[in-house]
């Protein structure tokens, strides 16, 4: 999955938290009564045609009582600042302004990697400027991770590995992100989904994982509890909808995916044979192995 798609999913899953972090200066006016909804991509594609840019995430903020005019947030993730085009962003915002018949458009760009980027576009002649376009920039690599260690904003906690920190802080950053996910996201499926998000951007190597398991046993145990909650939800769905449908919807696949993660955290990089064994196992075997991992000291003890 691309960085763009990762961030698109993040913004769609947590729109309020995304606006609060990436567009804090505008988010202050968004109260609990406001409704935040993504603008349907199909609608935009149909009406914008070739001008449509799939990976932008427009979020429409509306006040049902009509006391404030709706506001559109256009949040874009740009992995490499050198590839960012302010002209393209301005063009897209003007398209959306015309399409949705509003001038209340807030462009936001989240920069994943370090680098310079243009912050303003001014078009004019000798006597005046006729177009002045700016946007809210959130360059993650310039944001001190430590400032968000205790944040109650889940989007901030998930992005700790993308922020600025000293090399010796890497494991603490990872642990704070995992702790935020455990504390702020109650849904087991999203916990599993965004544990992957943290892993992708933290990119711990095998040695770092070994030290992490030793230094942060509580967070490792929390990841084990992720699996237990995910499996319990799968079992409940299976009872309600029938075993076959429940398995197809994720019981066996969820067990396999989570068991592989637990095994990797506990024993380091896994041989392909172990991965193949887990991925081809039935639900009973996966459940048995997931219980053994709590007491096993070697990989062989799990599969005995």
């Amino acid at each position: 999955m691309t960085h763009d798609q990762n961030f698109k999913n993040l913004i769609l899953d947590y729109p309020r938290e995304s606006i609060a972090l990436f567009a804090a200066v505008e988010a202050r006016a968004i109260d609990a009564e406001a409704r935040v909804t993504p603008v349907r991509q199909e609608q935009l594609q149909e009406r914008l045609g070739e001008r449509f840019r799939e990976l932008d995430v427009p979020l429409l903020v509306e006040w049902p009582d009509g006391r404030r005019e709706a506001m559109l947030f256009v949040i874009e993730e740009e992995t490499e600042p050198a590839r960012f085009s302010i002209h393209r962003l301005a063009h897209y915002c003007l398209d959306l302004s015309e399409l949705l018949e509003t001038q209340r458009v807030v462009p936001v760009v989240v920069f994943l990697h370090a680098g310079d980027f243009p912050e303003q576009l001014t078009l004019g002649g000798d006597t005046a400027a006729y177009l002045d376009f700016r946007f809210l920039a959130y360059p993650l690599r310039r944001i001190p991770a430590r400032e968000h260690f205790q944040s109650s904003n889940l989007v901030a906690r998930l992005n700790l590995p993308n922020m600025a920190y000293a090399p010796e802080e890497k494991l603490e950053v990872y642990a704070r992100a995992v702790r935020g996910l455990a504390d702020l996201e109650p849904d087991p499926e999203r916990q599993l989904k965004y544990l992957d998000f943290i892993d992708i951007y933290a990119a711990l190597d095998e040695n770092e994982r070994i030290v992490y398991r030793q230094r942060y046993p509580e967070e490792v145990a929390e990841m084990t509890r992720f699996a237990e909650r995910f499996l319990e939800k799968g079992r409940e769905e299976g009872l309600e909808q029938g075993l076959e449908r429940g398995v197809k919807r994720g019981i066996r696949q969820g067990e396999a995916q989570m068991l592989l993660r637990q095994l990797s955290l506990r024993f380091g990089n896994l041989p392909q044979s172990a991965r193949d064994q887990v991925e081809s196992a039935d639900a009973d075997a996966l459940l048995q192995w997931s219980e053994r991992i709590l007491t096993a000291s070697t990989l062989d003890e799990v599969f005995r």
Side-chain angles (χ1 to χ4, degrees), residues 85-149:
S85 169
I86 192 171
H87 293 79
R88 182 188 62 201
L89 179 61
H91 192 285
Y92 188 63
C93 288
L94 290 171
D95 285 342
L96 290 176
S97 173
E98 181 181 20
L99 175 65
L100 300 177
E101 299 180 348
T102 180
Q103 295 182 22
R104 286 168 60 80
V105 178
V106 180
V108 183
V109 183
V110 180
F111 293 97
L112 180 57
H113 293 168
D116 297 325
F117 51 85
E119 299 182 15
Q120 185 172 357
L121 172 64
T122 303
L123 304 182
D126 292 334
T127 60
Y130 301 103
L131 175 65
D132 185 9
F133 178 78
R134 289 170 290 167
F135 61 93
L136 293 177
Y138 200 88
L140 281 162
R141 295 298 184 188
R142 300 180 191 175
I143 309 298
R146 186 164 291 277
E147 292 182 1
H148 294 280
F149 276 2

Side-chain angles (χ1 to χ4, degrees), residues 174-273:
Y174 183 83
R176 295 279 186 169
V178 171
R179 173 52 50 195
L181 179 59
D183 291 343
L184 301 172
E185 177 51 81
D187 182 77
E189 291 186 37
R190 284 197 179 181
Q191 288 175 343
L192 192 61
K193 177 179 180 180
Y194 286 101
L195 189 57
D196 277 340
F197 184 97
I198 295 170
D199 275 347
I200 288 169
Y201 294 111
L204 301 186
D205 61 30
E206 184 175 353
N207 290 332
E208 287 169 333
R209 288 191 180 278
I210 292 172
V211 175
Y212 174 76
R213 292 195 295 271
Q214 296 170 345
R215 192 178 297 176
Y216 297 98
E218 185 175 339
E219 280 69 22
V220 173
E222 187 64 46
M223 282 187 269
T224 300
R225 289 192 286 272
F226 283 179
E228 294 172 352
R229 289 194 291 269
F230 187 79
L231 296 179
E232 181 60 30
K233 182 174 181 180
R235 282 192 287 269
E236 290 174 359
E237 290 181 356
L239 290 173
E240 292 174 0
Q241 302 172 17
L243 181 59
E244 182 178 357
R245 186 177 178 187
V247 169
K248 289 181 179 179
R249 292 192 62 180
I251 295 178
R252 192 189 66 77
Q253 291 179 353
E255 287 178 336
Q257 185 178 5
M258 198 61 221
L259 179 58
L260 286 171
R261 180 175 301 284
Q262 290 176 278
L263 291 170
S264 296
L265 288 169
R266 188 75 181 273
F267 303 112
N269 288 340
L270 301 177
Q272 188 59 47
S273 59

Side-chain angles (χ1 to χ4, degrees), residues 30 63 153 165 227 254:
I30 302 175
W63 284 262
N153 185 322
Y165 55 86

Side-chain angles (χ1 to χ4, degrees), residues 47-60:
R47 297 181 64 182
L48 289 176
E50 293 182 357
R51 294 178 294 169
F52 174 69
R53 299 185 62 246
E54 183 178 1
L55 294 176
D56 288 305
V57 184
L59 299 174
L60 186 63

